[in-house]
Amino acid sequence: MAVNSHDVWPYEIAKVTSFISDFSKTTSHYINSKLHTRYFTEYFSEKGVGARTVVVEADYVDRDFLLDYAGYYARCFKDYSRHCARLHFFTIEFSKTEFEQVLSGRNDQLKSKLMSQGSYLGFIVVKPVPQTVIGRTCLTTYDDTNTDREFPNTRNYEVHLFGIPLSVCTLAFQEQDQVVSACATSALWTAFHGTGKLFHHPIPPPIEITNAAYLVESESEPRALPNQGLSLIQIFHAIRAVTLEPFRVNALDEHVLKSTIFGYLKSGIPLVLVFYIYDNRTHPPSYMGRHAVTVTGYNIGRPEAVPFGSTDFRLVASRIDKLYVHDDQIGPFARVVFDGQHVCLTQNGVCTGVPSLSSSWPGADGTLDMGRIVPDILVAPLYQTIRVPFEVIHDLILDFDSVLQELGSHGFSDVSGEFEWSIYLISANDMKNEVLENPNIGSEEKREILLECMPRFLWRAHARSVKRNIDVIDVLFDSTEIKQGKLCHRVIPYDSKIWQLLVDLADAVVFLEMVQRDNPLVLSVLDQVKLQSS
């Protein structure tokens, strides 16, 4: 297939893969065997986003690849091009002739359609190198209207197609290069596209991430380029290189995995998930390697929250049944599912079942969808002043909820089993915007909250009454505090019954002594209630 400076053709996955093959000088057999091709086939189909037309920029300069090119490919003996191609996808049908009319200013109607919401699906950059051909890719998410899917860390990317202004709301993706980057580098690059917008730091290209990581020597490979992968310490170092702080969580436990992802991701902070891949059809399961992806979304599909352990503490996060990840070997927003299956791992002759997730990864024999994911570590790149970790607020609210569950046996109103909690980071600006628009907050209290000086990021513990289907309370915590300090910043009540209950509780000396003995951190909440009610 001839590669023109620009072209327009009706969407067909075969034509897309043929172009990629020709442009990158990679065999069509290899391109068609890639998991990305399988992903794009489903994504662009009628059941997916419904692509109709492709516009080709065959002479496109991509910043990330240009820097990778300057750092490595320019010094190869073989003459690699520094120009990429970019494929743009649309849901509307138009011909090359009609598109040429737009470029010559003679078809404003089509120009308006191209720019209209829902018409533009985004783009794929094709790199002029063999095999690892998928460069910076920005494709819209699946329609999440009237669904339980949430993609909290997407952002608007402004795109100019031959002078036509377009935009797509997504999070950037690219395949690992295997020369200037490995899977962890690609995962970090995607994560930095989210945190760069949120925390206002520069977004480095893959080669700069790799070079920053290799300021700490690898245990297995001292040479940065070609890159063989990053250790966990190098991942931490790369995060610190963009002025953020890494926060590590052991993620094998399903409750910890779900609640931590919800706690950080809902605020727009992508997380890097490191996991093992097993084929569970053999005994013992076949180990297939370690991999890193960026968690970019979740699906809250379970109808009811699951109580935590032996308690009656219920989190919205426990209702997550799917995660969406940018997996550089599969595609953007790839789905992994909590299906309840375990992988039996043997240690010292004893088989222990560990939680796992289904994925699109092939099994040991190449059979698709047979690779099981066993989570290992979550890494969150955080703003330096976010010092109170999620687990501290989780445990505090767990204790606070247990106190509320005990009220009935101490002569107070019985609210056992009533609350479902959402615990997550939120910016002060977003919190105040919600307060401004909330009709259930009195005018004087609303004014007081909006004028109040708050830390830039707060931990928000939001309780909803499952029995009455109403919002009950927000408990806000200072994310910059020290654990033993006054963590609770403010309590915002939405239900007079629960608020009066808390006021009475804060004045009950005998009950406060019990809380001081068994749940001392809860006192910061009750002290704040007493302060606000005085």
Side-chain angles (χ1 to χ4, degrees):
M1 177 185 191
V3 177
N4 301 315
S5 61
H6 72 279
D7 209 348
V8 178
W9 21 269
Y11 168 78
E12 294 176 14
I13 190 62
K15 207 164 185 179
V16 171
T17 56
S18 177
F19 177 91
I20 292 173
S21 173
D22 289 347
F23 186 85
S24 64
K25 296 180 175 60
T26 303
T27 66
S28 58
H29 174 75
Y30 185 85
I31 295 298
N32 287 322
S33 69
K34 290 169 73 72
L35 292 176
H36 304 89
T37 298
R38 181 192 186 210
Y39 176 89
F40 291 137
T41 300
E42 178 182 336
Y43 172 83
F44 288 120
S45 69
E46 288 300 318
K47 291 183 179 179
V49 295
R52 295 281 194 282
T53 307
V54 182
V55 177
V56 181
E57 283 182 275
D59 194 22
Y60 176 71
V61 178
D62 180 75
R63 171 185 175 271
D64 288 281
F65 179 73
L66 188 61
L67 293 171
D68 290 349
Y69 174 86
Y72 190 88
Y73 293 104
R75 289 176 285 178
C76 290
F77 178 76
K78 183 178 178 180
D79 186 17
Y80 286 101
S81 172
R82 64 189 182 90
H83 286 202
C84 299
R86 189 161 64 156
L87 305 180
H88 302 263
F89 299 85
F90 294 87
T91 59
I92 59 175
E93 296 179 359
F94 54 91
S95 66
K96 184 175 182 179
T97 299
E98 291 172 313
F99 187 72
E100 293 282 357
Q101 291 172 349
V102 173
L103 298 183
S104 60
R106 294 182 293 112
N107 195 334
D108 289 342
Q109 184 177 7
L110 176 57
K111 180 182 175 183
S112 296
K113 287 182 179 179
L114 294 174
M115 296 168 58
S116 64
Q117 187 175 3
S119 172
Y120 185 55
L121 296 172
F123 63 83
I124 298 173
V125 169
V126 184
K127 298 188 289 187
V129 295
Q131 298 188 357
T132 53
V133 298
I134 307 299
R136 186 169 59 100
T137 294
C138 293
L139 296 172
T140 187
T141 63
Y142 286 107
D143 183 11
D144 56 2
T145 306
N146 300 321
T147 72
D148 298 312
R149 290 191 293 260
E150 293 186 29
F151 303 102
N153 52 18
T154 55
R155 46 171 284 199
N156 278 324
Y157 289 81
E158 303 302 322
V159 182
H160 291 272
L161 174 58
F162 304 124
I164 304 170
L166 305 168
S167 69
V168 57
C169 185
T170 186
L171 194 66
F173 164 89
Q174 71 171 306
E175 179 182 10
Q176 74 176 68
D177 188 279
Q178 295 181 348
V179 172
V180 301
S181 69
C183 62
T185 302
S186 295
L188 286 170
W189 178 83
T190 288
F192 292 157
H193 269 259
T195 57
K197 183 76 171 178
L198 186 64
F199 299 139
H200 308 294
H201 67 74
I203 302 171
I207 195 168
E208 289 185 9
I209 295 173
T210 298
N211 286 334
Y214 268 81
L215 293 175
V216 177
E217 185 175 339
S218 169
E219 299 95 332
S220 59
E221 176 56 62
R223 188 176 185 179
L225 302 174
N227 183 238
Q228 302 298 316
L230 305 181
S231 69
L232 196 59
I233 297 299
Q234 289 176 315
I235 290 174
F236 294 164
H237 201 77
I239 291 172
R240 291 191 176 102
V242 296
T243 71
L244 301 181
E245 281 296 320
F247 177 65
R248 168 185 170 163
V249 177
N250 293 328
L252 180 59
D253 181 85
E254 188 172 302
H255 177 85
V256 172
L257 176 67
K258 290 181 178 181
S259 59
T260 303
I261 285 174
F262 184 88
Y264 290 104
L265 190 60
K266 191 170 177 65
S267 67
I269 301 173
L271 295 95
V272 174
L273 172 62
V274 181
F275 57 81
Y276 301 102
I277 307 171
Y278 288 90
D279 187 334
N280 209 27
R281 295 173 297 167
T282 61
H283 185 74
S286 300
Y287 173 65
M288 297 169 56
R290 204 166 188 237
H291 191 51
V293 299
T294 313
V295 185
T296 53
Y298 47 77
N299 188 78
I300 303 180
R302 292 183 176 173
E304 295 183 357
V306 180
F308 172 56
S310 60
T311 73
D312 203 23
F313 181 52
R314 300 166 193 265
L315 287 176
V316 169
S318 69
R319 294 167 51 203
I320 293 175
D321 61 350
K322 300 181 186 73
L323 298 178
Y324 299 95
V325 301
H326 274 27
D327 187 331
D328 73 279
Q329 294 299 293
I330 296 174
F333 306 108
R335 181 175 58 247
V336 295
V337 181
F338 292 93
D339 58 4
Q341 292 191 34
H342 287 65
V343 171
C344 183
L345 301 183
T346 303
Q347 286 186 329
N348 301 322
V350 179
C351 178
T352 303
V354 297
S356 68
L357 294 83
S358 70
S359 74
S360 299
W361 276 84
D365 60 358
T367 305
L368 294 174
D369 305 326
M370 289 297 116
R372 304 286 311 175
I373 287 175
V374 175
D376 181 25
I377 293 167
L378 278 170
V379 181
L382 300 180
Y383 195 66
Q384 292 175 340
T385 58
I386 300 175
R387 292 191 285 257
V388 177
F390 168 80
E391 62 190 53
V392 169
I393 305 302
H394 171 280
D395 293 349
L396 193 158
I397 294 299
L398 170 63
D399 284 351
F400 182 54
D401 186 77
S402 70
V403 167
L404 296 179
Q405 304 295 336
E406 289 289 322
L407 291 178
S409 59
H410 291 271
F412 293 90
S413 297
D414 186 3
V415 294
S416 58
E418 182 166 347
F419 303 117
E420 185 177 82
W421 292 91
S422 300
I423 305 174
Y424 57 94
L425 271 174
I426 189 169
S427 71
N429 288 339
D430 287 344
M431 189 68 232
K432 288 186 177 184
N433 182 254
E434 285 196 33
V435 168
L436 181 63
E437 302 299 327
N438 194 321
N440 297 320
I441 302 176
S443 56
E444 284 303 313
E445 184 179 11
K446 182 175 293 190
R447 180 179 180 278
E448 182 181 332
I449 296 171
L450 295 178
L451 292 176
E452 182 179 5
C453 184
M454 293 183 176
R456 183 177 175 186
F457 292 97
L458 301 150
W459 281 108
R460 179 187 193 181
H462 178 81
R464 185 169 180 80
S465 170
V466 177
K467 294 178 180 178
R468 294 182 288 155
N469 194 30
I470 60 169
D471 294 328
V472 172
I473 198 169
D474 267 320
V475 188
L476 303 180
F477 299 94
D478 182 354
S479 69
T480 71
E481 252 292 3
I482 56 175
K483 181 179 178 180
Q484 64 269 32
K486 183 183 178 298
L487 287 176
C488 186
H489 182 82
R490 172 172 278 276
V491 178
I492 304 177
Y494 305 110
D495 175 55
S496 58
K497 170 191 169 184
I498 298 300
W499 177 245
Q500 188 57 53
L501 182 62
L502 291 176
V503 171
D504 294 342
L505 181 59
D507 285 331
V509 176
V510 175
F511 202 83
L512 289 177
E513 290 175 351
M514 184 193 75
V515 172
Q516 173 69 55
R517 183 184 69 246
D518 299 333
N519 314 91
L521 285 179
V522 174
L523 285 179
S524 72
V525 179
L526 298 180
D527 286 346
Q528 183 63 34
V529 169
K530 193 167 186 177
L531 178 66
Q532 290 179 213
S533 62
S534 60

